[in-house]
Each structure stands twice: as structure tokens, then as C-alpha cells.
């Protein structure tokens, strides 16, 4: 039986996992988070929710007829094919330094994600 506490702990673990992934991937690819950290927070939260629900961080910025089928195709699993091949992230999570929306940061805390997302609700 799943309890609210175990679901919350699982959600927290998924969020922390995706936060760490995003930071490491940004550093490894010389990309930066959006200057509006609310965008970064919302995308990381969406990736974490999809990872928890489907087992893969399916891009949360797209509409899918069948999310489970899209996960199996893997094209839009983060980092998506356009990001891996061309450094093009339509979610604005990973931005090249020359992008007008790029910040100079490659880090965000779990607390910042939680606070920024709660302000959007």
C-alpha cells in the first residue's frame, strides 16, 4: 500500500535526481539555465514527474497523444535528440551562452525549485 508520505518521498527523490542531472548536463555541455529561473524550475519539476510516472524524463514542454508510447520511442526523453545533436532545447532548460535567454548559472537548489513552482500555482 502506497502512503502519502512514501509518495512524497518518492517525488522528492525524483526531483532531486532531475535537479542533479540538469546541473551536471549543463556543465558537461557548456549550456546554461534560463535567466528566468521559474522556467528552469518548472521544466525540472515536469521532468521529475514524468520520470516518476513513466520511468523516463519525457520532455514536459510538448503535447503527446500517448506519453507512454513517446517514452518508448525515446526521441523526447531528456536530453532529447535535438539537444544531443544540435544543442537545441525548446524547453529553455539548456541554453547556449549566445542565447538571449541564457543566464550565467548552471545550478539551482531544490528549495528554489519548490518555491518557484509554488509561486506559479
Amino acid at each position: 500500500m502506497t502512503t502519502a508520505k512514501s509518495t512524497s518521498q518518492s517525488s522528492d527523490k525524483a526531483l532531486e535526481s532531475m535537479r542533479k542531472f540538469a546541473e551536471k548536463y549543463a556543465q558537461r555541455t557548456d549550456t546554461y539555465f534560463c535567466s528566468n529561473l521559474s522556467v528552469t524550475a518548472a521544466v525540472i519539476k515536469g521532468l521529475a514527474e514524468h520520470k516518476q510516472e513513466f520511468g523516463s524524463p519525457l520532455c514536459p514542454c510538448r503535447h503527446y497523444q500517448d506519453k507512454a508510447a513517446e517514452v518508448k520511442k525515446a526521441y523526447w526523453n531528456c536530453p532529447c535528440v535535438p539537444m544531443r545533436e544540435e544543442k537545441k532545447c525548446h524547453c529553455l532548460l539548456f541554453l547556449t551562452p549566445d542565447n538571449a535567454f541564457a543566464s550565467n548559472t548552471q545550478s539551482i537548489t531544490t528549495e528554489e525549485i519548490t518555491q518557484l513552482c509554488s509561486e506559479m500555482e
Side-chain angles (χ1 to χ4, degrees), residues 11-21 44 48 109-110:
S11 296
D12 291 348
K13 185 177 177 181
L15 183 64
E16 181 64 9
S17 172
M18 290 313 308
R19 183 193 69 77
K20 286 180 179 178
F21 157 77
I44 292 173
T109 66
T110 303

Side-chain angles (χ1 to χ4, degrees), residues 27-43:
Q27 292 164 3
R28 193 169 76 240
T29 59
D30 192 32
T31 56
Y32 295 86
F33 294 151
C34 185
S35 56
N36 180 345
L37 275 182
S38 293
V39 172
T40 303
V43 174

Side-chain angles (χ1 to χ4, degrees), residues 5-119:
K5 185 176 179 180
S6 67
T7 300
S8 175
Q9 289 173 340
S10 180
S11 296
D12 291 348
K13 185 177 177 181
L15 183 64
E16 181 64 9
S17 172
M18 290 313 308
R19 183 193 69 77
K20 286 180 179 178
F21 157 77
E23 288 183 345
K24 287 178 185 172
Y25 190 79
Q27 292 164 3
R28 193 169 76 240
T29 59
D30 192 32
T31 56
Y32 295 86
F33 294 151
C34 185
S35 56
N36 180 345
L37 275 182
S38 293
V39 172
T40 303
V43 174
I44 292 173
K45 182 180 178 190
L47 289 168
E49 289 169 352
H50 283 166
K51 183 171 180 147
Q52 187 174 6
E53 184 175 350
F54 300 106
S56 291
L58 183 65
C59 173
C61 302
R62 301 185 57 81
H63 173 74
Y64 308 98
Q65 293 293 330
D66 183 346
K67 290 181 182 181
E70 290 296 332
V71 165
K72 289 178 184 173
K73 291 178 188 176
Y75 188 89
W76 293 112
N77 292 346
C78 188
C80 65
V81 172
M83 181 59 206
R84 291 190 309 257
E85 292 181 356
E86 304 172 34
K87 283 194 177 180
K88 292 184 179 177
C89 177
H90 68 277
C91 292
L92 303 180
L93 180 57
F94 303 114
L95 300 170
T96 55
D98 61 336
N99 187 299
F101 297 104
S103 69
N104 61 356
T105 189
Q106 297 172 316
S107 64
I108 187 169
T109 66
T110 303
E111 293 78 18
E112 286 175 306
I113 294 170
T114 302
Q115 179 183 352
L116 291 166
C117 289
S118 70
E119 291 172 2

